[in-house]
């Protein structure tokens, strides 16, 4: 368990536009204020509204003048592989299976110190793009190297983000018909025991938790059906959430049809891997029955548009999922397949990808729907929609304050059709004035306050060189 944090002092943010994202669903983004206030006390929001804050709320509080800014809930990243910061820019012309085949042998050498350096850089980078909560899906556990999950939790604690590490696993090596080399797969019983141990040591079910653990076998082509089934059983016994990759590429779809006789979604359903406690990364290749089944079972999707485009995997049917009533969140995915890994950019990418995908064109996704999936949708993926992803009294004070009065944003935010949310989503990434996580400032005026990014850049470079040299 991580050490409890000191309660931050009260904060009042005023004179900013506010998008609360407090509506009921993706097409009702909730109350917005042209020039409003947010009051924060003991790490939670106590008031949100139009005009200045009530005088009684401002006594002894830090005052933040949000003139020219837009306040939104902190963004929520629902899919990542932080260690991949160390292997960016490789296999640039490869589809997923070839890309994995090239990278597995490099990843097989990874150690906890390298994971710590990559996680510090990656989470710092995410914070600078307005992300207040991130997951990480780690599934590489080389034999004999202890402390990998601890290393990334320590990095998240130092950076100050809310963190949902997902204990991954792979047990289907090449000799058993899987894709990964045999030397980086685990014995399934060892993987299950280590997953249970990770939950026991690090999962904090209490309100306002900074660390919650999920279970996350890697994918249908690297995990046996037995390990998938038993991990689901374990998660439901322990009361934690379940995450995996699904239906990412055509090749995976073909692999499932040929070796398992069913689509990836049918396979997941049969294994007990659809449900309200499950969120699945990618889901690019879903047919209509699968979309309906996701909606009926309450299964959520982590949409990663940049990674899917980078690997030429296709574009997830986000509009169809939302219209059917399924939940969609946003993810940056690992930096080896999504070198930007800035979450604010994914709002923009999701908007464009949805509009490119089908005949609905510009009606496929609105700026507010994109922001909804980056906030409320993500909170729902992680089972925390009652605590994060919206700005209303009682919610945790995870707040991003964006500058939308820059050269590139001002006309969109404050012109004749003045729309600060459109400035954030249609425009280039907006500078981040302030990021609060549980009321604690993590970013101020575009700078990380919790960790030294210069040192993080130096450390991650050294870790990369060490990994490349195999030391
Ligand atoms: Zn992934």
């Amino acid at each position: 368990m991580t050490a409890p944090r000191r309660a931050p002092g009260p904060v009042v943010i005023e004179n900013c536009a506010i998008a609360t994202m407090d509506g009921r669903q993706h097409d009702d983004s909730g109350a917005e204020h042209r020039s409003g206030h947010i009051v924060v006390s003991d790490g939670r929001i106590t008031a949100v509204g139009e005009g200045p804050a009530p005088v009684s709320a401002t006594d002894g509080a830090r005052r933040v003048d949000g003139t020219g800014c837009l306040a939104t809930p902190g963004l929520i990243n629902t899919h990542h592989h932080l260690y991949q910061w160390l292997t960016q820019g490789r296999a640039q012309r490869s589809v997923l299976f070839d890309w994995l085949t090239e990278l597995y042998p490099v990843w097989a050498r990874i150690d906890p110190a390298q994971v710590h350096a990559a996680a510090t850089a990656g989470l710092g980078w995410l914070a600078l793009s307005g992300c207040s909560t991130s997951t990480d899906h780690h599934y590489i556990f080389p034999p004999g190297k202890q402390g990998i999950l601890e290393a990334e939790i320590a990095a998240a604690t130092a950076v100050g983000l809310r963190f949902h590490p997902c204990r991954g696993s792979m047990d289907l090596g090449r000799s058993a018909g899987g894709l990964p080399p045999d030397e980086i797969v685990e014995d399934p019983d060892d993987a299950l025991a280590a997953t249970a141990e990770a939950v026991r040591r690090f999962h904090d079910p209490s309100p306002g938790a900074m660390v919650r653990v999920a279970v996350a076998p890697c994918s249908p082509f690297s995990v046996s059906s037995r390990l998938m089934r038993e991990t689901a059983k374990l998660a439901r016994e322990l009361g934690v959430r379940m995450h995996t990759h699904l239906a990412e590429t055509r090749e995976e779809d073909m692999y499932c049809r040929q070796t398992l006789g069913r689509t990836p979604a049918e396979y997941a359903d049969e294994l007990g891997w659809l449900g309200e406690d499950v969120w699945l990364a990618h889901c690019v290749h879903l047919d209509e029955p699968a979309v309906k089944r996701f909606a009926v079972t309450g299964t959520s999707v982590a949409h990663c548009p940049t990674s899917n485009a980078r690997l030429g995997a296709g574009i997830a049917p986000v509009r169809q999922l939302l219209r059917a009533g399924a939940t969609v969140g946003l993810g940056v995915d690992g930096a080896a397949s999504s070198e930007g890994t800035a979450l604010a950019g994914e709002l923009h990418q999701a908007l464009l990808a949805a509009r490119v995908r089908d005949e609905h064109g510009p009606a496929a996704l609105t700026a507010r729907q994109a922001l909804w999936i980056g906030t409320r949708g993500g909170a729902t993926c992680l089972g925390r929609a009652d605590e994060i992803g919206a700005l209303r009294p009682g919610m945790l004070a995870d707040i991003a304050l964006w500058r939308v009065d820059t050269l590139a944003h001002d006309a969109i935010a404050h012109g004749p059709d003045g729309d600060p949310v459109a400035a954030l989503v249609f425009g280039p990434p907006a500078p981040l004035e302030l990021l609060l996580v549980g009321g604690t400032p993590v970013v101020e005026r575009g700078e990380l306050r919790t960790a030294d990014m210069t040192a993080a850049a130096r450390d991650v470079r050294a870790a990369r060189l060490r990994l490349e040299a195999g030391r």
Side-chain angles (χ1 to χ4, degrees), residues 204-276:
D204 178 1
S206 63
M210 291 301 288
V211 178
R212 285 204 184 151
V213 178
V215 306
C218 189
S219 67
F221 51 86
S222 61
V223 181
S224 67
S225 55
R226 182 198 151 205
L227 183 54
M228 291 295 292
R229 269 204 188 89
E230 292 192 11
T231 312
K233 189 165 160 267
L234 177 72
R236 285 168 178 149
E237 279 167 14
L238 298 174
V240 298
R241 296 183 76 75
M242 299 157 54
H243 182 52
T244 188
H245 294 99
L246 198 81
E248 181 173 355
T249 65
R250 264 175 219 92
E251 290 78 12
E252 179 189 332
D253 190 68
M254 231 140 61
Y255 174 92
C256 286
R257 287 173 195 269
Q258 282 169 4
T259 60
L260 307 163
R262 40 188 77 70
T263 67
E266 287 166 350
Y267 181 54
D269 203 356
E270 187 188 306
L271 296 173
W273 269 83
L274 298 185
E276 286 182 352

Side-chain angles (χ1 to χ4, degrees), residues 79 81 245 282 333:
H79 188 63
H81 311 285
H245 294 99
H282 305 304
D333 206 358

Side-chain angles (χ1 to χ4, degrees), residues 78-296:
T78 60
H79 188 63
H80 207 342
H81 311 285
L82 287 162
Y83 72 92
Q84 290 181 10
W85 194 279
L86 302 167
T87 55
Q88 296 182 56
R90 297 190 179 200
Q92 294 175 20
R93 300 175 65 183
S94 298
V95 296
L96 177 71
F97 282 8
D98 298 337
W99 175 90
L100 282 169
T101 304
E102 183 169 333
L103 288 167
Y104 281 138
V106 185
W107 297 341
R109 301 197 293 263
I110 207 156
D111 66 27
Q114 290 160 348
V115 168
H116 184 267
T120 304
L123 290 167
W125 190 247
L126 273 175
L128 290 168
S129 72
C131 171
S132 52
T133 297
S134 183
T135 56
D136 187 58
H137 185 183
H138 193 96
Y139 51 86
I140 306 277
F141 293 93
K145 294 191 180 158
Q146 304 297 324
I148 283 182
L149 222 53
E150 288 89 327
E152 60 174 20
I153 291 170
T157 304
V159 173
L161 293 198
R162 228 173 274 292
F163 193 46
H164 285 227
C166 307
R167 207 295 179 181
S169 54
M170 302 194 291
D171 71 334
L172 198 64
R174 206 162 291 154
S175 63
L179 193 70
D182 288 352
E183 59 270 25
I184 53 166
V185 303
E186 292 178 280
D187 171 84
D189 293 320
D190 292 350
L192 283 164
T195 304
E197 176 69 1
V199 174
R200 191 190 65 72
R201 284 184 64 194
F202 302 117
H203 181 70
D204 178 1
S206 63
M210 291 301 288
V211 178
R212 285 204 184 151
V213 178
V215 306
C218 189
S219 67
F221 51 86
S222 61
V223 181
S224 67
S225 55
R226 182 198 151 205
L227 183 54
M228 291 295 292
R229 269 204 188 89
E230 292 192 11
T231 312
K233 189 165 160 267
L234 177 72
R236 285 168 178 149
E237 279 167 14
L238 298 174
V240 298
R241 296 183 76 75
M242 299 157 54
H243 182 52
T244 188
H245 294 99
L246 198 81
E248 181 173 355
T249 65
R250 264 175 219 92
E251 290 78 12
E252 179 189 332
D253 190 68
M254 231 140 61
Y255 174 92
C256 286
R257 287 173 195 269
Q258 282 169 4
T259 60
L260 307 163
R262 40 188 77 70
T263 67
E266 287 166 350
Y267 181 54
D269 203 356
E270 187 188 306
L271 296 173
W273 269 83
L274 298 185
E276 286 182 352
D277 51 357
V278 181
W279 87 104
L280 301 169
H282 305 304
C283 301
V284 171
H285 299 278
L286 296 184
D287 56 16
E288 225 180 285
V291 168
K292 283 199 185 122
R293 190 78 186 122
F294 275 44
V296 167

